[in-house]
Amino acid sequence: MKFSVYLNIAYKPGIRDPEGDTIKKELFSRAGLDVDVRAGKCLVLTLEASSEDEAREKAVRLAWDLRLGNPNIHVIEVVRVLLWEPDAELRERGLRG
C-alpha cells in the first residue's frame, strides 16, 4: 500500500528561530498581536508500507538518514498519515473535484 506521510521539521524548543522571529516582528507585531511564531518545513513523503505505523516509522527514519534536519537543533514530527490516493493532494487544495 502507499501512504502519504506529512512531516514537520522545526527547531527544538529553546533554539532560536530566526525565521519565526521575523514573521512575528513583521506581521503579527505590526498588527498589534502578541503571538509566538515557530517556523518549519512541511514535507509530504509518499511511500510504500504495509501499515500506517510502518509508513510513519519509515518516513521519520528517511528524514533523519537523509539529514533533512539536524538532530542537535531540529525535531521531526509526523503531522498525519493518509492512505495515498492519486488525486488526494489536489482535492485537499481545491484543485480537483
Side-chain angles (χ1 to χ4, degrees), residues 17-79:
D17 179 358
E19 187 177 2
D21 292 345
T22 300
I23 293 168
K24 177 179 179 174
K25 179 180 153 201
E26 298 299 326
L27 295 177
F28 293 102
S29 295
R30 287 184 183 194
L33 301 171
D34 183 24
V35 297
D36 185 36
V37 178
R38 303 292 289 177
K41 294 181 270 188
C42 181
L43 303 176
V44 181
L45 304 182
T46 302
L47 47 85
E48 291 281 342
S50 59
S51 69
E52 184 177 313
D53 287 339
E54 182 187 352
R56 177 184 303 269
E57 290 171 16
K58 274 178 127 175
V60 171
R61 189 172 352 99
L62 276 169
W64 285 124
D65 289 350
L66 296 172
R67 302 279 297 170
L68 299 179
N70 177 336
N72 295 313
I73 61 171
H74 291 111
V75 293
I76 296 178
E77 58 188 351
V78 175
V79 177

